[in-house]
RNA sequence: ACCUAGGUAGCUCAGUCGGUAGAGCGUGUGACUGUUAAUCACUAGGUCGGCGGUUCGAGCCCGUCCCGGGGAGCCA
């Protein structure tokens, strides 16, 4: 196993393995090119890095005619040979093969769904089990890994605690969207109470249960003891959203910090995002080069400028005034007290500012009950981070820590008595605290230039789609 | 039971006025070459999304269903 790890392609081409050493590579064939010089070239990838390694296969190998010349894109192979400096252009290392073992053939090569050509992402979604074999999805997968690790590293270095908040929740007032029901009741034979309603006391949890739409409320409980916490896990929204930026199942990062206000929150969001940008630039230059060449020419340059430029901090009221100046060009009205539409958010981040915008202090009426009421009595300490091309990548707020204010907002929102444990957090040693949620797949799209969020997650779940 | 444009070869698409189905890429064969998304030549590959209708005749017109996009709303 040690040998296997040492000899992935990233290691072989990374400089730590000496030329002349006998090595083995295990992977899949990207392409085969034959030369009349008596050799064939195999490009082999194993997912460890963007570039494949080139294996030079001499025609005197025993299985050259019968097997090597029949290799096509997608075949799995093990190649043993000597690691040498490449004689050709385009790579530093290559393997002079002494043995080629074909592990798995591609049957019916002309119908192999992932041919050695460009495919549309719409098509690849229909073969989601095979699309990780493409350059694009290999690159996306590696960037996801890099960002996941960077997220944990960022918080770990700053003494945040990773809190694994529940996937199943009994709270139907998380307020972030429609919920998926979790139940073991027999749908064909539902138990009823005397009033004729479904009797959820008979259900698995003895009450209605759902998949979480946010770990925030639970994270608050831990922030009010451990000071700095975050959640990172799957999130479920049963909204009938059919757009390039919505998934029914997605991953979300939610830091929550005690003794913090909205300014702290905005600063954390910007510092956090810049840290992630830097990590991608440091670790994934190979994949970024691919996205820059084939997907979005601005990708690398944008990341480089983002880590050094300040995000624009803007009051909701100021945003409204700006947008009102362009009123004629919008389909939807702009007025203080109305929520901003996608066209408005896009205008602010893409056209007016040209980089991420942190919008703060929204009208209380259009935001969730747990957001802290500002002294003006009509706005709450909410913030949205808007980025060009994606829109809202982060949403957060300072939380209402005053019990009396929270109670009035709970009452106004019509939320019932399930909030007792949440109220306890204000009854026993309450402190100002704040946090936000970042959509992981939206972040992936932003840093890769990919346009559809269904291509930012391995197996996307959207309305009417739960294949694979 | 929102708006919009689509479905034609393995993939990406063209197809004029309703009149015998086309290209590129990929696959296969051959040529050439330390090649590298190679290049060149040739071959194969089709129930034009399904069903129904109009017509002498439908890829094209009509109805209906299915599929995958883009947009809106909701939000991360």
């Amino acid at each position: 196993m040690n040998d296997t790890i040492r000899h992935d392609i990233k290691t072989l081409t990374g400089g730590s393995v000496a030329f002349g050493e006998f090595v083995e590579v295990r992977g899949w064939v990207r392409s085969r090119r034959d030369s009349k010089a008596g050799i064939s070239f195999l490009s082999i990838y194993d997912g460890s890095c963007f570039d494949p390694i080139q294996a030079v296969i001499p025609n005197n190998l025993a299985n050259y005619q019968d097997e090597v010349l029949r290799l096509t894109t997608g075949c799995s192979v093990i190649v043993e040979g000597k690691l040498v400096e490449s004689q050709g252009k385009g790579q530093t290392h290559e393997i002079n093969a002494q043995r080629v073992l074909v592990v798995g053939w591609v049957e019916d090569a002309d119908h192999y769904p992932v041919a050695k050509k460009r495919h549309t992402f719409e098509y690849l979604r229909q073969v989601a089990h095979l699309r990780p074999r493409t350059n694009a999805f290999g690159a996306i997968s590696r960037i996801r890994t890099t960002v996941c690790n960077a997220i944990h590293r960022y918080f770990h270095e700053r003494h945040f605690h990773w809190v694994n908040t529940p996937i199943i929740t009994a709270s139907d007032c998380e307020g972030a969207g429609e919920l998926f029901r979790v139940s073991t009741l027999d749908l064909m034979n539902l138990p009823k109470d005397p009033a004729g309603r479904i009797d959820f006391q008979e259900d698995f949890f003895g009450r209605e249960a759902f998949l979480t739409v946010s770990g925030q409320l639970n994270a608050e409980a831990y922030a009010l003891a451990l000071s700095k916490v975050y959640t990172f896990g799957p999130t479920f929204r049963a909204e009938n959203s059919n757009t390039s930026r919505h998934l029914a199942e997605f991953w979300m990062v939610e830091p929550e910090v005690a003794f913090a206000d909205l300014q702290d929150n905005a600063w954390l969001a910007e510092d956090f995002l810049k840290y992630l940008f830097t990590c991608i630039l440091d670790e994934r230059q190979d994949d970024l080069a691919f996205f820059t060449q084939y997907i979005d020419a601005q990708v690398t340059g944008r990341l480089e400028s983002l880590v050094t430029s300040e995000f624009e901090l803007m009051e909701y009221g100021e945003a409204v005034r700006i947008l009102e100046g362009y009123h004629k060009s919008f389909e939807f009205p702009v007025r203080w007290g109305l929520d901003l539409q996608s066209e408005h958010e896009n205008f602010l981040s893409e056209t007016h500012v040209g980089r991420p915008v942190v919008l703060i202090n929204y009208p209380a009426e259009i935001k969730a009950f747990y957001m802290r009421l500002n002294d003006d009595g009509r706005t709450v300490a909410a913030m949205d981070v808007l980025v060009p091309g994606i829109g809202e990548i982060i949403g957060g707020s300072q939380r209402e820590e005053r019990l009396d204010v929270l109670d009035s907002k709970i009452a106004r929102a019509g939320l019932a008595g399930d909030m007792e444990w949440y109220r306890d957090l204000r009854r026993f040693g309450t402190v100002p605290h704040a946090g936000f949620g970042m959509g992981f797949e939206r972040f992936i799209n932003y840093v890769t230039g990919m346009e559809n969020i269904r291509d930012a997650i391995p197996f996307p779940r959207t309305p009417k789609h739960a294949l694979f």
Side-chain angles (χ1 to χ4, degrees), chain A residues 144 147 151 213 231-235 237 245-247 249-255 272-273 276-277 385 387 390-396 436-447 453 456-457:
Chain A
R144 278 184 71 104
V147 177
I151 286 166
V213 293
T231 76
F232 185 20
T235 305
R237 305 268 169 98
R245 59 191 185 283
H246 287 88
L247 292 166
E249 175 183 292
F250 64 99
W251 286 62
M252 185 157 66
V253 186
E254 296 174 285
F272 175 59
L273 288 174
L276 300 183
F277 296 149
V385 179
V387 297
I390 307 292
E392 184 179 345
I393 200 171
I394 281 178
F436 61 78
M438 182 188 81
F440 183 68
E441 283 76 22
R442 288 188 181 178
F443 179 87
I444 294 299
N445 273 17
Y446 185 51
V447 298
I453 202 164
I457 192 167

Side-chain angles (χ1 to χ4, degrees), chain A residues 83-192:
Chain A
L83 187 71
V84 298
E85 197 167 0
S86 178
Q87 300 175 32
K89 295 172 183 171
Q91 63 277 317
T92 56
H93 297 64
E94 64 188 26
I95 296 175
N96 279 341
Q98 297 172 15
R99 183 163 173 266
V100 176
L101 175 63
V102 181
V103 178
W105 292 98
V106 167
E107 58 180 58
D108 201 11
D110 58 330
H111 286 71
Y112 182 52
V114 187
K116 185 178 60 177
K117 69 184 289 294
R118 294 188 77 166
H119 294 282
T120 61
F121 292 117
E122 292 81 1
Y123 165 72
L124 288 172
R125 264 169 236 150
Q126 297 168 35
V127 287
H129 58 308
L130 298 175
R131 67 179 186 172
R133 303 175 180 215
T134 63
N135 282 328
F137 284 91
I140 291 165
S141 299
R142 283 183 295 273
I143 286 183
R144 278 184 71 104
T145 298
T146 289
V147 177
C148 279
N149 282 295
I151 286 166
H152 288 301
R153 199 163 60 243
Y154 176 87
F155 288 124
H156 183 65
E157 289 171 352
R158 285 154 186 79
H159 307 160
F160 281 66
H161 303 282
W162 182 19
V163 180
N164 304 115
T165 53
I167 304 297
I168 297 172
T169 178
S171 170
D172 63 354
C173 50
E174 293 187 2
E178 296 293 315
L179 298 130
F180 285 102
R181 181 181 301 284
V182 175
S183 174
T184 55
L185 293 178
D186 179 2
L187 291 177
M188 300 299 287
N189 186 23
L190 291 169
K192 300 290 177 57

Side-chain angles (χ1 to χ4, degrees), chain A residues 16-34:
Chain A
S16 61
V17 181
F19 288 126
E21 204 166 297
F22 189 80
V23 299
E24 175 182 279
V25 64
R26 307 174 179 199
W28 292 264
V29 174
R30 178 86 69 206
S31 71
R32 189 195 86 228
R33 299 174 294 274
D34 305 319

Side-chain angles (χ1 to χ4, degrees), chain A residues 21-331:
Chain A
E21 204 166 297
F22 189 80
V23 299
E24 175 182 279
V25 64
R26 307 174 179 199
W28 292 264
V29 174
R30 178 86 69 206
S31 71
R32 189 195 86 228
R33 299 174 294 274
D34 305 319
S35 169
K36 274 299 177 281
I39 51 179
S40 288
F41 301 93
L42 291 182
S43 288
I44 300 168
Y45 66 95
D46 67 1
S48 62
C49 54
F50 182 84
D51 289 315
I53 194 167
Q54 175 164 279
V56 184
I57 319 294
N59 63 3
N60 59 10
L61 292 192
N63 62 342
Y64 184 83
Q65 287 292 335
D66 291 341
E67 293 196 326
V68 173
L69 288 182
R70 288 172 45 224
L71 286 171
T72 57
T73 302
C75 290
S76 52
V77 294
I78 297 174
V79 175
E80 299 171 358
K82 189 184 290 185
L83 187 71
V84 298
E85 197 167 0
S86 178
Q87 300 175 32
K89 295 172 183 171
Q91 63 277 317
T92 56
H93 297 64
E94 64 188 26
I95 296 175
N96 279 341
Q98 297 172 15
R99 183 163 173 266
V100 176
L101 175 63
V102 181
V103 178
W105 292 98
V106 167
E107 58 180 58
D108 201 11
D110 58 330
H111 286 71
Y112 182 52
V114 187
K116 185 178 60 177
K117 69 184 289 294
R118 294 188 77 166
H119 294 282
T120 61
F121 292 117
E122 292 81 1
Y123 165 72
L124 288 172
R125 264 169 236 150
Q126 297 168 35
V127 287
H129 58 308
L130 298 175
R131 67 179 186 172
R133 303 175 180 215
T134 63
N135 282 328
F137 284 91
I140 291 165
S141 299
R142 283 183 295 273
I143 286 183
R144 278 184 71 104
T145 298
T146 289
V147 177
C148 279
N149 282 295
I151 286 166
H152 288 301
R153 199 163 60 243
Y154 176 87
F155 288 124
H156 183 65
E157 289 171 352
R158 285 154 186 79
H159 307 160
F160 281 66
H161 303 282
W162 182 19
V163 180
N164 304 115
T165 53
I167 304 297
I168 297 172
T169 178
S171 170
D172 63 354
C173 50
E174 293 187 2
E178 296 293 315
L179 298 130
F180 285 102
R181 181 181 301 284
V182 175
S183 174
T184 55
L185 293 178
D186 179 2
L187 291 177
M188 300 299 287
N189 186 23
L190 291 169
K192 300 290 177 57
D193 65 12
R197 294 170 304 210
I198 297 169
D199 184 5
F200 285 103
Q201 289 185 3
E202 297 291 314
D203 207 345
F204 187 90
F205 294 108
R207 56 183 302 169
E208 290 187 271
F210 308 91
L211 294 180
T212 183
V213 293
S214 167
Q216 178 203 317
L217 270 51
N218 299 96
E220 283 187 56
Y222 271 69
L224 295 177
L226 303 177
S227 298
K228 291 181 286 188
V229 304
Y230 70 105
T231 76
F232 185 20
T235 305
F236 307 89
R237 305 268 169 98
E239 313 259 318
N240 186 26
S241 296
N242 256 303
T243 80
S244 61
R245 59 191 185 283
H246 287 88
L247 292 166
E249 175 183 292
F250 64 99
W251 286 62
M252 185 157 66
V253 186
E254 296 174 285
E256 192 73 31
V257 182
F259 302 99
D261 62 15
L262 187 65
Q263 287 294 325
D264 297 322
N265 207 30
W267 180 87
L268 177 67
E270 179 172 348
D271 189 60
F272 175 59
L273 288 174
K274 286 180 176 177
Y275 181 92
L276 300 183
F277 296 149
T278 302
C279 289
I280 296 165
L281 285 166
D282 287 347
E283 298 174 23
R284 295 260 60 95
Q285 275 293 336
D286 53 351
D287 295 314
L288 282 180
F290 168 81
F291 289 112
T292 303
Q293 183 175 356
Y294 290 105
I295 306 295
D296 177 355
Q298 310 301 315
V299 162
T300 302
R302 183 166 63 223
L303 290 180
E304 287 170 342
S305 70
L306 279 171
V307 298
T308 56
S309 66
E310 298 292 312
F311 289 13
E312 181 88 4
L313 190 69
M314 184 185 295
E315 296 267 343
Y316 165 88
E318 183 188 350
V320 169
R321 282 192 297 276
I322 291 169
L323 291 165
E324 281 174 337
Y326 294 87
H327 181 265
K328 289 172 185 168
S329 58
F330 295 121
E331 181 181 354

